Amino acid sequence: MAAPKKTKTAAKADKPAAAPAASNDTSSGASSDAFGKPLGATLEGLAKLGPIGGALFSLIDEEVDGKAILFGREQYDMEILGKAFTGLVYWGIPREWDAPTIDKHPIVIVTNKGTDPSVVAPDLATFLGDIAYSPEVRGASKHEWERARRESIEDQGELVRQLGDKLCSLPGVTMPKEPWMGKRLPEVKLTPRSPSAAATASRQPTEEDVHDIIEDAYTLAFKSLLFHPSADEIEVHKKGVAIRVALDAPEGTSDALEANAIVAQPLHVFREALRQGLPGAKIVVELVNDCLSDDDEDAWRRLKIAVVDQAKQPELFKQLLAKRKKR
């Protein structure tokens, strides 16, 4: 695979709903935006979560996600407020809705699959509860919904639980007992997408399209210096794709790194981005140790840059270094 493309700055999770060009009028005691309404306790709490709010999804950044915001306003008269961690699914609210605060508007999902937006929750608190332990809202049955949640926890472990606990601590947010597909949702009139655009977006991807989807997913997930691509990592076949992801780490450090979030989280993001971009395809991701360094000393120098300077985890590096000295 070719080297990943450079992308714009990632969305900032601690930035209040940027889509409506927030005015932040606090004279009434609560932030408000271009709607002339308060954001509401749930949305304000979500904005204050900080970086952990962006671990699996985030509020949008108007500079990065400007096209999506404009598309939502012009095509469906809705405001895009946030996006999934994959960057392929956006969520927002209908602008015209009789509710006292922004977080009481119905939540609408917009995907890149050519389908029209769909209402998935009656309000923000319900939506956050639905995705608390399963960041991808999917599945037409309770079985599929529970499987998506289980896979998220298996892929990312404690990070998913931590984020779920954080979301469920927000005002009004509780863990649901059934998937959103089984709930009674409000009727929201949205301007439909033109038939020609829908037909174009729903066509089957070519092998070149698949490679582009993989490269975009790789660029999204693997910003850390611990990973690097190579030309023989991808195998595309009729049922799906098999991909080898190279971890650049000294001998004896792979197991500890794989158990840490700096490796586990990017792998999870990569898999979920592929699932979104290649729905229905069988996806196999293999992590292999492929050191780029000239010698052992250079390998440890590169590891220190990735773990300490970039990931800001000096304690992890100390633990790895201690194991090296014992050998």
Side-chain angles (χ1 to χ4, degrees):
M1 188 194 308
K5 298 175 289 185
K6 292 183 178 179
T7 57
K8 295 180 181 179
T9 305
K12 299 175 182 177
D14 58 347
K15 188 174 183 178
S23 60
N24 295 325
D25 179 10
T26 57
S27 59
S28 61
S31 299
S32 63
D33 74 348
F35 291 28
K37 294 180 181 179
L39 298 180
T42 307
L43 185 53
E44 287 187 330
L46 177 63
K48 293 175 182 177
L49 278 185
I52 193 170
L56 296 179
F57 71 95
S58 62
L59 298 181
I60 57 89
D61 184 320
E62 58 187 351
E63 296 179 2
V64 176
D65 304 296
K67 290 183 179 179
I69 297 167
L70 188 62
F71 176 77
R73 288 177 181 172
E74 292 184 348
Q75 192 74 16
Y76 299 105
D77 194 27
M78 61 174 286
E79 202 69 54
I80 304 294
L81 296 183
K83 64 182 179 181
F85 60 93
T86 61
L88 302 175
V89 176
Y90 287 85
W91 57 272
I93 57 173
R95 292 177 63 86
E96 296 297 328
W97 195 259
D98 185 17
T101 58
I102 297 300
D103 59 6
K104 295 300 182 182
H105 285 233
I107 300 299
V108 180
I109 287 287
V110 182
T111 74
N112 69 333
K113 299 177 183 177
T115 55
D116 290 323
S118 57
V119 180
V120 295
D123 53 53
L124 180 61
T126 302
F127 173 67
L128 295 179
D130 285 345
I131 67 171
Y133 295 92
S134 178
E136 186 180 354
V137 180
R138 62 179 178 175
S141 70
K142 187 173 183 179
H143 172 73
E144 291 175 334
W145 177 73
E146 290 175 342
R147 183 182 65 184
R149 178 167 300 181
R150 185 173 63 252
E151 287 178 353
S152 296
I153 294 176
E154 287 174 354
D155 281 350
Q156 206 164 343
E158 188 59 27
L159 284 179
V160 173
R161 292 189 181 88
Q162 287 177 9
L163 180 59
D165 291 345
K166 284 283 187 180
L167 292 179
C168 288
S169 71
L170 296 176
V173 180
T174 57
M175 275 288 297
K177 297 182 179 179
E178 61 180 347
W180 63 266
M181 289 291 290
K183 296 180 179 178
R184 186 183 181 91
L185 300 173
E187 293 185 9
V188 176
K189 293 182 179 179
L190 296 167
T191 305
R193 178 180 270 181
S194 65
S196 59
T200 300
S202 62
R203 66 180 176 84
Q204 290 296 316
T206 64
E207 184 168 339
E208 184 178 354
D209 292 334
V210 172
H211 278 269
D212 287 342
I213 290 170
I214 293 172
E215 184 171 346
D216 288 343
Y218 202 107
T219 302
L220 174 73
F222 301 121
K223 301 179 178 70
S224 169
L225 295 176
L226 284 168
F227 302 94
H228 65 89
S230 62
D232 61 351
E233 285 181 356
I234 304 173
E235 179 186 345
V236 179
H237 46 81
K238 290 183 179 180
K239 292 184 178 181
V241 295
I243 304 166
R244 298 171 75 242
V245 175
L247 177 65
D248 184 18
E251 183 180 355
T253 62
S254 298
D255 289 345
L257 288 171
E258 289 176 35
N260 192 276
I262 59 177
V263 171
Q265 182 173 333
L267 283 173
H268 176 73
V269 170
F270 186 52
R271 290 190 184 99
E272 290 300 319
L274 292 176
R275 288 169 185 165
Q276 289 282 351
L278 302 171
K282 181 180 179 181
I283 296 167
V284 177
V285 177
E286 179 188 2
L287 185 64
V288 296
N289 194 49
D290 185 14
C291 194
L292 290 178
S293 308
D294 297 329
D295 51 41
D296 191 54
E297 289 299 326
D298 187 42
W300 282 93
R301 180 188 63 83
R302 292 171 62 87
L303 181 66
K304 183 178 180 181
I305 293 173
V307 175
V308 179
D309 298 345
Q310 188 180 42
K312 310 301 181 185
Q313 291 205 39
E315 291 303 319
L316 173 61
F317 182 75
K318 288 180 181 178
Q319 294 172 14
L320 297 173
L321 195 59
K323 291 181 180 179
R324 180 197 183 194
K325 291 178 179 178
K326 290 178 181 178
R327 294 203 304 266

